[in-house]
Structure formats: C-alpha cells, structure tokens
Amino acid sequence: MSMSKQMHLGAFMRPVSLHTGAWRYPGSAPDANFSFSHLKRFAQTLEAAKFDAFFMADHLAVLNMPVEALKRSHTVTSFEPFTLLSALAAVTERIGLVATASTTFDAPYHIARRFASLDHISDGRAGWNIVTTSNPDAALNFGLDEHVEHGERYCRAREFFDVVTGLWDSFADDAFLRDQESGLFFDPERMHVLDHHGPSLNVRGPLNIARPPQGWPVIVQAGQSEPGRQLAAETAEVIFAAPRDLAGGQELFADIKGRQDALGRSRDHLKILPAAFIVLGDTIAEAKAKRALLDGLVHFESGIASLSIALGLDASGFDLDAPLPRDLPDTNASKTGRQQVLKLAETEGLTVRQLAQRYGGYSGLAFVGTPESVADEMETWIDAEGSDGFNVVFPYLPQGLDDVAHRLVPELQRRGRFRTAYDGTTLRDHLGLPRPDNRFFPTR
Amino acid sequence: MSMSKQMHLGAFMRPVSLHTGAWRYPGSAPDANFSFSHLKRFAQTLEAAKFDAFFMADHLAVLNMPVEALKRSHTVTSFEPFTLLSALAAVTERIGLVATASTTFDAPYHIARRFASLDHISDGRAGWNIVTTSNPDAALNFGLDEHVEHGERYCRAREFFDVVTGLWDSFADDAFLRDQESGLFFDPERMHVLDHHGPSLNVRGPLNIARPPQGWPVIVQAGQSEPGRQLAAETAEVIFAAPRDLAGGQELFADIKGRQDALGRSRDHLKILPAAFIVLGDTIAEAKAKRALLDGLVHFESGIASLSIALGLDASGFDLDAPLPRDLPDTNASKTGRQQVLKLAETEGLTVRQLAQRYGGYSGLAFVGTPESVADEMETWIDAEGSDGFNVVFPYLPQGLDDVAHRLVPELQRRGRFRTAYDGTTLRDHLGLPRPDNRFFPTR
Ligand SMILES: Cc1cc2nc3c(=O)[nH]c(=O)nc-3n(C[C@H](O)[C@H](O)[C@H](O)COP(=O)(O)O)c2cc1C
Ligand SMILES: Cc1cc2nc3c(=O)[nH]c(=O)nc-3n(C[C@H](O)[C@H](O)[C@H](O)COP(=O)(O)O)c2cc1C
C-alpha cells in the first residue's frame, strides 16, 4: 500500500469563532475574547490533536463595518497576538504559534525582535503571517489620512522581509561562546551589522537578540492579489488562502507552485492551507441544521448590511422570504463579489434572509457533514492538488473545536492522512520545512 | 505599637543580572538570556516572596559600549519584554509585570494595545515603564540618523501618555452587554472615538480592545532630568530612580512629592523605588568578599573602558594597583560623573583596577551585608523619606535572588515592613494605587 499524502492542519482562531453569530450559539462563551483560560484550553486541545499550528489574525483598528453590524459582532475587540501567543507558549509544548504582523504599520526592528523572542520562548514554534493590512481604517490610527497605496504596501513588504530576515541573521548560531574562563561572552566577528539602506527602510542593526532556534520563524502569507501571490512565491513557507471551492483551490495551487518552479524554489518548501469552515454532525442533515441554526443567529440588521455591500445595492427592500429577484440593476460593486453571491443563492436555494445571514456570518469555503463525509472532501482536495492541508475555522466554540479535535482528527488519522504524534519539536519540523542558513554566516 | 511604614519591592530583572561580571560567578547560568525555564523559576520565587512586581528594562539596540566591553558582557541580547512578561503571566498569579516601552520609537496604538492585552491576560497585573529611550543607537535602527533631541522626546512622551490613556478609555467598563437574546454585543454609545490631533501624534481610535482590568496599567517612569521629573510628577504612579546615596534619595523624594503637591496630586499615588543592588552574606565581611569576587570577574579590558569614559581620559596608563593619581587633568567629561568616581575611590579605598571593575560591573546604590544589616539600611531609607521601597538589583542569579527571597524578605516581614500575603490581586492593589476613572465615561 503506497503512503497517501499527509495533510497539515492549522487552527484559524478567534476566541468566540470568526462567525458573527457564534457568540449566541447554545453553549458558547460570549466573554471568551478576554478570557485567557478559554484560549489556554483551546490551544491544549488542539495540541493534543497534533495540530501543526494555532494561528491568530490581526487587525489594527476596530473592524470597518457599519455600526449596525459592528454592535452585534463579538469580533470588535480581543487580545493582541504577541501577548496572547507568548502566554500560550508557556502552557503548551509542541503546537506552532503563528502571529499576524503588519509590514505597513510597524517597524522591522520591532517585528524581528518580537518573533525572535517568541521563537526563543517557545523553543522554535513561532511563525509570522506577513500582512500589508487589509483594514484601511488602520491608517487613521497610525497618523495617516488614508491607507497606503496597494503597490507601495507590497514594495515595502518585500523590503521589510529582507530586513527582518537579515536582522534574524545578526548573530551566527555559534556566536555565543560564554567562555567563563577567558571572559569572552561572544565573538564580535560572528556578529553582523546589517546597515540596510533601501527605498522604504533604513535599519542599521544588529538585532539585540540571538538567532531564533528555527533560524527564522516560519514565514506565512495571506495575500490574494498579483503582488500578494508573487511575494508569497518568493518568501512564504505557508499560504493561508481563501479559495471558495476546489477549482479555486487548484487554480491557486498551480499558480503558486508554478511561480516557485520559475524561481527555482522547491514545491515542498511552501504549504498551501486554505481556510475551511468545518461543521460536524452525526448525519449530514444534522450538520446542516447546526449551520442553519448558527446562521439564523446572525442578526438580520447586520446580515442585510453585509449582503447589501456585496451586491452594491440596498437589499433590505426585497421580499425577505423569497429568492433574490432575477434581474438586479447594474452597480459599481465588484463583479466577482456579486457573481459569488448569485451562485451561492442559487446552489443552496437560499432566501434573501438566509443569504443575508450567510453573508453576515461566514461565507467562505465550508465542509458541513459527518466526520466521514468531511474527511472524504478533505482527501479529495489533497489528492487533487487543491491544497496541502487546511486552516480550520471553527463555527462555534468550544463545541465546534472539540468536534474537530475528537471526531474529525481521529478519522483523518485512521485514514493515514494526519499525524498521530509530533515527530519533531519545532513548527518547521511539523511542516517539513528546512531550517534556513544564516546568509552572513553560511554553514559551508 | 504604631504600625511602621511598609515598603514596596520590585525586582529589576535581567536573566543573568545587571552586573557584567555575573555570568562568570560560581553557580550562575550564563545561558539564561534565552532560557525561559530560568525566568519562570525566578518569577515564581519572587511571587512566593510576595514581591510587588517583576520589572524588565528595554533597549532598542545592542548596548552602546566599546566592542572590548561589549564582547565580554552578557547584557547584549535577551528576550523582548512583552513576549517574556506575557509568557510569565501564564505561569504566575499575583506578581505585577512591568514592561518598558519607548515613546520615541513606537506608536501609541501599538503600546496601548499591548499593555491592555497584557493586563487582560494577567488579570490586572501590567505596568508600563515609560522611557524616551536612553541609548542613542536606537535611532539608527528606526530610520533616523541621530537620536531625537531630548526636549522633543519629552514633549512627544507627554502627548503619547495622553493618547495611550485615552485609547485605554475607548470603551466604558460596562460597554459589553453580550445580550444573547437581543443580539446586542456592545453598546456603541459606550464606545469613544478619541480623534486625537496634536503636535507629534494623530490617532483616531477607538482601541480594538476592552478597557484593561486595572482601568489603566500602572504608569512607571525612570527619567532623571528636569523634564523627566516633571513628566513623572504629572503622570507616574511609580518611579524607578537611581540615587547613589540616601541624601540623593531624599532630594529626589522631596522634589517629586513637592511637584505633586503643586499639581494637587496625592503623595500616596506615586511610589518612589530606587534601584538597589543587594549582596547578602552571613557576615558583613562575607558579603563584601562576595561583592569583591564578583567585581573581580569583570574583565579588566571592559572595566578600564568604563572607567575611562567616566573620567573622560584614558585610565589604562595609571598604576593599576595603586589609588587614582591625585591631580587629574581637566577634561570635557561630566563633572558630576567624575566627582562620583573620585568620591567612590576615596570612600572605599579602591585601587585603579578595583575602581575599573566596580565601574564596569555595577556602580549604583548598593546594600552589602547580612539580612539584618541590609534590613536596617532599608528601614532607614523608608523612615527618612528616602523612598517608598526599592527596585532590587540581584548581583548574580539564581543565588543572589534566592538570598533576597529566602533571607532578606523574611527579615523585613518579621519587622512588619513587608507583606506576608498579597491582599489583592492586581498590581494597583499591591501598590495601594486607585483605579483611574474612565475620562469619557466617568462613574459619577
Ligand atoms: C486566511 C486569511 C487570513 C488573513 N488574515 C489577515 C489578518 O490577520 N490581517 C490582515 O490585515 N489581513 C489578513 N488577511 C488579508 C490578506 O492579508 C490580504 O490583505 C487580502 O487577502 C487581500 O489580498 P491583497 O492585499 O493581496 O489584495 C487574511 C486573508 C486570509 C485569506
Ligand atoms: C532604574 C532605571 C531603569 C531604566 N530603564 C530604562 C530602560 O529600560 N530603557 C531605557 O531606554 N532607559 C531606561 N532608563 C533610563 C531613563 O529612562 C532615562 O533615560 C535616564 O534616566 C536619563 O534620564 P533623562 O532622559 O530624564 O535625562 C532607566 C533608568 C533607571 C534609573
């Protein structure tokens, strides 16, 4: 029997779930946003299930939703990723810890230091999700009048990556001699002063921290645009993608791995993990009913606001308990966005109200079914080169997470698709990624 | 019997000690800079001893020493404070956690968020040591050619404090209703948009984090200059000072508390805690011998470099085993600095070599003796209005810390000068500081 391709699993965490109705779901903990004990339990459960990583998104402003939606969402406030993941590092031993940090609104010296420090504290479990920041309101919190232009953001991001990795390489792995006898603590010949001068950044260095245990923390990317994909192909080791279906996953997979071929990078050195919303039940019907219950908890006011934005017109005047009218007027809204809405409404036969609640809740790729049916779908993705695994979005917590850990993971393990024990200790070990050489002090 | 004045104790932590010879001291752990397990043990020991707080200094560059001194010092690299203190929050329950953060090289939105997050994770134990950054080399790591001018740094610091505290007040304490029935998560009327526009900063807000459990994390200051003292009198709740002797402590104490009187602030709402280097022995002679052993481990090359800087002339040509020559030529070095050296050399009868090693090691206020004699000195300080307690510097670790926790603290407790149990749960509770009212949503 040939070994089937293994998958990697990340947990795309929000204390109360990403779904905006989740805080009203039976058994949920609506106050989990600032409850460290909840997050500790979640991380330990995921570690017991042998997840590759615990991932925290990050936003540098209150989410840019209309106030009618905002006031009904638990996603408005939560922990900051470095403080949270560092605390979790102290109460876990193996699971990877991936924090999001912005190259647009932070300084490379700070970012390099914090990830290096998290990597030391966790003994090699840190990862950096590089974002250029999607929420334009963030600019207003950092002294600007409007968001930095998209191309400029990605230019800075590319240079930022070079500076941060250069700072991580400030000291050779063997720079610290700590020779008590002679009194030599480190060898200054094994310290590199970066002295970077570029179009967006000027940074002298060296970093005041030893090289991270992983050499570099794992580089993660979530951009979707052309420059986002190119940045990922050049620098990323994991991509958190958001394709809506298998065809979309395959397109992204082929595109990124093709770009890697062109760059001479090994395909194995980048893992593509789409976000997947997973709802489990004893039967497919039960799982669908759970999802319908959850979607129904999205307050109508916030759902209709989201749907109106996606369609580019006020949807609140339509007959709410009928399907979307057939001939909608042309608008300025993104054509792709609108087509996705129409396709979804048709495929699932949703009324306007249901569609609004789906949009206000979570509308990305979803696997809804039994542990067996969902495992089937996941295997299909892996074998059809749709992805290297998934970044799991839990519909509600703790139950949705426990279901994945205790029901889906064992099914994947039985099928030989997911590890039953961690082989190594670092996030690079879990993902099968090499430790980068120090560019200033190569091993050969 | 009247109750004697209680003292507060902070721990001025470095993984291997602040003293540059400590990594060579018998029993020390020279690799502690990146060993979380060491720091966890230190924090737990200090918590068992009922310390008010664990304090981490911070520097945004490799220390600006000549390379001859730098390569012999363990202080060149260590953990970043937020990652370290957050990890410690997860493995301690009561001790305060004070991180240093710069107002010159960071953004108020980041600082406000991280301290708020640390305060939530630790259930109200965070403190912010506001610095304008002492090491001029930091500027080069943040895109500047030279350090920001002193007055400008302090102007920005004052405005920065207003913005950060304003961001902490973004949400009323009761803003989060989490009413599952009606679907209202928070009351937008109880959210404040700061919309700050000032000479150094433009920040819209609101912060994407709920008000910290302490209202505001405790505000700490360590500046010494005129604007530093004024900033402290206006904003600080703790001062980490560095007077060299009781007279210096009394001068600072009277000055700061006088400034508070003038501002109409209660004297009780600001605690002055000078850094105190404490070496304990069974006899005073033994303690002195330990210190001499420690100072002797400062490599001569780094000691003489420090001494030369303090004197403003090359001291390496003097007879090393004789006292300093009497008539030193005039130089450009700071007169106060030089006088301190001369006074120290005379009072303790040190040779040039010993003086160099003292300067290269730790030359601030020190209590060297038995638990009884040191407790006597500390009581004198407290009763003579020299301070409200101390920020203890440990000469070497773990032994120097264990000595303070297991021998000095019990002595202070026996004398009724230090708590035997924590009364409250927050850092404000330990320090006897009030919880600040929300400026936008006052309780009355
Ligand atoms: C799974 C996933 C997670 C993301 N997490 C964040 C995040 O935490 N913070 C953020 O600003 N953007 C986040 N994004 C948005 C992307 O960084 C990016 O801005 C967005 O996909 C648009 O891509 P583009 O900038 O390349 O056009 C995420 C995207 C995906 C698919
Ligand atoms: C106990 C103590 C701790 C300090 N910690 C820091 C620190 O962590 N980072 C820093 O940049 N400066 C630190 N400083 C320096 C002060 O912030 C300040 O820059 C210095 O005392 C000079 O004061 P001035 O800027 O008011 O002239 C510390 C000072 C003292 C006394």
Side-chain angles (χ1 to χ4, degrees), chain A residues 23-24 28 30-31 33-34 36 58-62 67 70-74 76-84 86-87 90-91 105-107 109-110 113-114 117-118 120-121 137 140-143 171 176 178-186 188 202-210 299, chain B residues 23-24 28 30-31 33-34 36 58-62 67 70-74 76-84 86-87 90-91 105-107 109-110 113-114 117-118 120-121 137 140-143 171 176 178-186 188 202-210 299:
Chain A
W23 66 279
R24 303 175 70 191
S28 75
D31 62 348
N33 278 331
F34 297 106
F36 178 66
D58 196 42
H59 300 281
L60 297 172
V62 162
V67 71
L70 192 66
K71 73 183 185 186
R72 304 194 177 281
S73 170
H74 59 269
V76 62
T77 58
S78 184
F79 293 116
E80 180 277 335
F82 280 100
T83 41
L84 177 63
S86 304
V91 295
F105 301 111
D106 214 327
Y109 202 84
H110 286 312
R113 255 186 109 204
R114 286 197 191 99
S117 192
L118 181 60
H120 281 287
I121 286 174
D137 288 355
L140 306 174
N141 292 332
F142 291 89
F171 292 91
F176 295 90
R178 305 188 196 95
D179 183 350
Q180 289 178 310
E181 210 42 56
S182 72
L184 192 64
F185 193 78
F186 77 97
N202 289 289
V203 181
R204 193 180 68 165
L207 195 66
N208 55 358
I209 194 156
H299 198 281
Chain B
W23 67 279
R24 303 174 72 190
S28 75
D31 62 348
N33 278 331
F34 296 105
F36 178 66
D58 196 43
H59 300 281
L60 297 172
V62 162
V67 70
L70 191 67
K71 73 184 185 185
R72 304 195 178 280
S73 170
H74 59 268
V76 64
T77 58
S78 185
F79 294 116
E80 180 276 335
F82 280 101
T83 42
L84 177 63
S86 305
V91 295
F105 301 111
D106 214 327
Y109 202 84
H110 285 313
R113 256 186 107 203
R114 287 199 190 98
S117 191
L118 181 60
H120 280 287
I121 286 174
D137 288 355
L140 306 173
N141 292 331
F142 292 87
F171 292 91
F176 295 91
R178 305 188 197 93
D179 182 350
Q180 289 177 311
E181 212 40 58
S182 72
L184 191 64
F185 193 77
F186 77 95
N202 289 288
V203 182
R204 193 180 68 165
L207 196 65
N208 56 357
I209 194 157
H299 197 282

Side-chain angles (χ1 to χ4, degrees), chain A residues 146-393:
Chain A
E146 55 180 35
H147 204 356
V148 180
E149 186 272 317
H150 193 269
E152 201 182 319
R153 295 209 299 273
Y154 275 99
C155 280
R156 181 178 157 104
R158 188 66 188 74
E159 187 182 345
F160 202 108
F161 166 84
D162 285 337
V163 172
V164 167
T165 53
L167 288 171
W168 284 334
D169 287 347
S170 291
F171 292 91
D173 287 312
D174 60 2
F176 295 90
L177 306 167
R178 305 188 196 95
D179 183 350
Q180 289 178 310
E181 210 42 56
S182 72
L184 192 64
F185 193 78
F186 77 97
D187 177 359
E189 301 282 308
R190 309 290 284 164
M191 173 177 93
H192 180 85
V193 179
L194 186 64
D195 224 350
H196 173 90
H197 298 282
S200 308
L201 300 164
N202 289 289
V203 181
R204 193 180 68 165
L207 195 66
N208 55 358
I209 194 156
R211 195 156 191 258
Q214 294 187 104
W216 303 351
V218 172
I219 304 295
V220 183
Q221 250 280 307
Q224 311 276 304
S225 59
E226 169 58 33
R229 287 176 177 212
Q230 191 56 25
L231 179 68
E234 290 174 15
T235 67
E237 301 178 291
V238 174
I239 291 184
F240 287 157
R244 306 213 149 224
D245 53 27
L246 180 54
Q250 288 168 321
E251 182 277 317
L252 180 76
F253 193 96
D255 177 61
I256 296 286
K257 304 259 170 166
R259 289 178 197 243
Q260 284 181 268
D261 295 344
L263 291 162
R265 277 189 77 194
S266 162
R267 289 184 165 221
D268 287 345
H269 293 173
L270 195 164
K271 312 292 175 186
I272 300 184
L273 310 184
F277 182 83
I278 298 183
V279 187
L280 297 171
D282 289 335
T283 61
I284 292 179
E286 193 201 43
K288 285 192 172 165
K290 286 181 179 179
R291 183 182 207 185
L293 171 60
L294 179 62
D295 281 350
L297 293 171
V298 173
H299 198 281
F300 176 71
E301 278 180 6
S302 69
I304 205 75
S306 304
L307 180 62
S308 300
I309 289 169
L311 291 173
L313 46 77
D314 180 5
S316 65
F318 299 146
D319 179 352
L320 301 178
D321 297 306
L324 261 190
R326 291 219 151 235
D327 297 304
L328 295 175
D330 267 354
T331 69
N332 260 336
S334 135
K335 292 235 157 48
T336 343
R338 188 190 257 219
Q339 253 150 22
Q340 277 169 357
V341 182
L342 298 177
K343 190 172 160 196
L344 179 71
E346 205 176 288
T347 325
E348 300 205 20
L350 303 175
T351 63
V352 172
R353 185 189 304 277
Q354 287 167 334
L355 194 62
Q357 288 175 321
R358 174 65 59 84
Y359 256 77
Y362 186 86
S363 60
L365 174 67
F367 299 138
V368 180
T370 63
E372 295 72 26
S373 76
V374 171
D376 288 347
E377 290 189 87
M378 292 168 87
E379 286 195 283
T380 302
W381 271 71
I382 301 298
D383 291 336
E385 300 209 321
S387 77
D388 296 304
F390 299 93
N391 199 19
V392 182
V393 179

Side-chain angles (χ1 to χ4, degrees), chain B residues 66-182:
Chain B
V67 70
E68 274 310 317
L70 191 67
K71 73 184 185 185
R72 304 195 178 280
S73 170
H74 59 268
T75 59
V76 64
T77 58
S78 185
F79 294 116
E80 180 276 335
F82 280 101
T83 42
L84 177 63
L85 293 181
S86 305
L88 290 175
V91 295
T92 54
E93 288 176 5
R94 293 295 185 90
I95 194 167
L97 301 163
V98 182
T100 298
S102 171
T103 54
T104 306
F105 301 111
D106 214 327
Y109 202 84
H110 285 313
I111 296 295
R113 256 186 107 203
R114 287 199 190 98
F115 279 102
S117 191
L118 181 60
D119 208 47
H120 280 287
I121 286 174
S122 64
D123 288 323
R125 296 187 282 137
W128 173 24
N129 179 34
I130 303 185
V131 298
T132 65
T133 293
S134 53
N135 183 348
D137 288 355
L140 306 173
N141 292 331
F142 292 87
L144 303 181
D145 292 330
E146 54 179 37
H147 203 356
V148 179
E149 186 272 318
H150 193 270
E152 202 181 317
R153 293 209 301 273
Y154 275 99
C155 280
R156 181 178 158 104
R158 187 66 187 75
E159 187 181 343
F160 200 110
F161 166 84
D162 285 336
V163 172
V164 168
T165 52
L167 289 171
W168 284 334
D169 286 347
S170 290
F171 292 91
D173 287 312
D174 60 3
F176 295 91
L177 306 167
R178 305 188 197 93
D179 182 350
Q180 289 177 311
E181 212 40 58
S182 72

